[in-house]
Structure formats: structure tokens, C-alpha cells
Amino acid sequence: MSHLFVLNLLHIGKDQDCSKGNRRKSRSYVRQSLEERIRLQELIGQTCRSDLPVKSHNIGSLEDTENAAENLRKKWKLGLDPISSVIGVLEERSVHVLEIDAAERFDGISAVAWDDHSVTAAAVVSRRGIAGGRQRLYLAHELGHLVLKVPEGVDEEAAAFRFGAAFLAPAETVRREVGERRTFIRPDELMLMKRKFGMSVQALLYRLRNLAIIGESYYKQWCININKLGWRRKEPAEMPPEKPSWLHQSVLRALGEDLISRKTAENIIGSSLADGEPLSLVERRAFMKLPLEERRRIMAKQAERMAAHFENDREWRKFQGGDFIAH
């Protein structure tokens, strides 16, 4: 049975055609994905109430996004250190991360599911296959669309990106690491900052400019250098993109507890499960109903495979023949 909720698409990326057909397709994809995840949450006994303060951070200017990002970090008890996994932070708080194939300039989608005036779940959608630094900023930027209440006269897209950068690299932490004011920054220092904050060099330079750590002229000089070095399209030392894990882990949990069938599990994750996984209770019961000779034949084949594995794997022999020292 389909879970009933009201879905609000709060932001659709700029490269999404504004035609009714494409909006309907995006809405259908996000709704179906969230319905699936909400049903799964209910099956495994997870709460279906999100800890996301939707549109609760009022801002009057772009600078106000700094406080909004800091306050959300405090609410979520993240401190001021760099975030090792943006997707992990989001998924722990019922913000589901979806991936789609989209045009290169696509910057994301964000949506919220409401049920009885409460937030049931939220989703942020990013483009599949982008570098990790860009992906993290785009996801944090979509988080900005979810939590910021932006008044007329303030550019919502600019506010969301400013929020995203502040969420990944808090002003206090950046100033502690880089200094209050800089007139020169070496490329190797930028690479160290890139690894530390998980942001692209271009996004970091823009962040330093917004915080007035570097001046406008020096920022523009770096933009020229980035073009000359060919870094605008592909930077050195790119980080791999983060991968969502909540859906796969929750599906395996539901399968392990016999809440869904293997076929349903594979349909949800969109791929076949690896062979050799422990038999579920249903599969064990089905096995025991087979004729004795058929069960013996299956077990004999499994024994042959295990014998071949141990014959080829020498590590277990070393372990078996090793010395054990009692302390």
C-alpha cells in the first residue's frame, strides 16, 4: 500500500527544463523514491520523523547564511571540524540522497515529504559521476534550499551555495587554518585545504573571497590561473564521489529479517545481490522441503567449492600452524 504524504519540490536544478513534462517526471521520480524509503523505514522500525528544520532559518542577506549554517551544525552536534562524509550526515537525519544522470551544469533537486503537518522525510538529488568536491558542495547547497527561508530581494541560489560552503567550511575553522588575511597562497596549500575541507579549489577560493581572507583582485588572478592550468573542468587530486549507503544497508537488513523477499530487495536496489550470502529463514525452509537426495547433491557441491577455496587459500594454513602466545 502506498504511503500517503504531501511532496513539495523546494528546488529543481537550473538545467532542468521548466516544462510541465520534465517537472512531472522529476516529481514522479522523487516521490516514488521517497515512498520506497518511507515504507522501508516503517518495515525495519526506524522513525519516520525527520530531524530537519525545514525553512526554519530566516535570513535577510547572504551574510546571514553563515549563522544559519553554524546553527544547523550546533543543532546536529557536528562541531566546527570538517565533515568527513556529507552523505553520512544527511542519511543519519532522514535526508535521503538520490543520484540521477543529468547535464553537466545540473546542480540538484531538493524535496520534502509531509505527513500530518510533520516532516516525514526529505531528499536531495545530485548528478551521478561528478567529482567528490563538487558533489559535497552541491549536496550541502541543496540542504540550504531545504532549511533556509529566503525573502524577496535575496538571490536564493546564491544563498544556498553560500550556506553550503559555510556548512562545509565554517568561517571560524577556515580563519584558524588559513589566517585572517592573506595576500598569497601557494597551489600546494590549496591542495591541502581541498583534502581537509572536501571542497574543490575553485569553491575554496570563492569561500576565502567571501570571508575577505583574500581580496577581489587576488581572487580574479587565481581565476585566470585556473583557466590557464585547465583546472576549471578537471582539477588535480580529485576526490572520489561519496556513495549513499542507507538504502542498500536497510534493504539487506529487511531481507535478513525476512521482511521482504530477495526479488523485492533486488528490485529496490536495482541490482542482483551477491552470491554466497547466508540463506534466509524462508530459503532454509524451502531447502528442507527438497527430497533427501537433492539436498545431499546441493550440500556435496557446496562442500566441493569450500574444499577448493581452502586448497587455494594459503592464509588459513599459516594461521593454523602459527604460534599462540598467552599473555
Side-chain angles (χ1 to χ4, degrees), residues 233-251:
R233 295 185 65 84
K234 183 175 176 59
E235 293 184 0
E238 291 285 29
M239 296 170 290
E242 296 179 6
K243 293 295 181 184
S245 62
W246 182 90
L247 181 64
H248 201 115
Q249 182 178 347
S250 298
V251 165

Side-chain angles (χ1 to χ4, degrees), residues 46-60:
Q46 283 189 0
T47 177
C48 281
R49 289 291 176 264
S50 173
D51 188 29
L52 183 69
V54 176
K55 297 296 182 184
S56 64
H57 292 274
N58 291 282
I59 65 169

Side-chain angles (χ1 to χ4, degrees), residues 2 12 17 20 26 45 100 140 169 199 218 236 283 285-286 311 313 317 320:
S2 177
I12 299 180
D17 193 322
K20 290 182 178 179
S26 297
I100 61 173
M199 297 169 66
Y218 188 61
E283 290 170 317
R285 286 172 177 167
E311 182 64 29
D313 185 358
R317 295 178 185 275
Q320 188 181 46

Side-chain angles (χ1 to χ4, degrees), residues 60-211:
S61 66
L62 292 179
E63 289 73 22
D64 291 343
T65 58
E66 299 284 338
N67 287 333
E70 184 179 336
N71 289 337
L72 184 60
R73 270 178 163 263
K74 286 180 180 177
K75 177 179 174 62
W76 284 354
K77 297 179 173 59
L78 298 176
L80 293 175
D81 291 334
I83 297 171
S84 60
S85 172
V86 173
I87 288 181
V89 167
L90 294 173
E91 289 189 326
E92 285 173 7
R93 291 158 180 85
S94 297
V95 181
H96 298 280
V97 180
L98 315 178
E99 295 180 301
I100 61 173
D101 296 312
E104 186 176 350
R105 292 182 63 243
F106 170 75
D107 57 20
I109 298 173
S110 56
V112 175
W114 299 85
D115 185 3
D116 296 329
H117 307 292
S118 298
V119 177
T120 301
V124 290
V125 185
S126 69
R127 180 166 67 88
R128 187 178 287 109
I130 61 176
R134 290 180 64 190
Q135 176 207 38
R136 286 164 55 90
L137 180 58
Y138 284 167
L139 291 174
H141 139 262
E142 288 303 326
L143 178 61
H145 281 293
L146 290 172
V147 303
L148 294 178
K149 188 171 183 180
V150 183
E152 290 185 13
V154 176
D155 186 328
E156 183 174 353
E157 197 67 9
F161 270 113
R162 179 77 178 257
F163 172 92
F167 188 75
L168 294 179
E172 181 180 331
T173 307
V174 174
R175 290 193 173 102
R176 184 182 68 230
E177 296 288 332
V178 183
E180 291 287 340
R181 184 73 178 173
R182 295 289 296 274
T183 57
F184 179 77
I185 299 178
R186 289 172 52 90
D188 49 356
E189 184 180 358
L190 283 172
M191 290 302 161
L192 289 173
M193 291 170 58
K194 177 177 181 173
R195 286 198 293 271
K196 187 175 189 67
F197 292 104
M199 297 169 66
S200 70
V201 168
Q202 297 171 74
L204 281 167
L205 287 166
Y206 198 76
R207 179 76 177 134
L208 297 180
R209 170 188 176 248
N210 279 341
L211 294 176

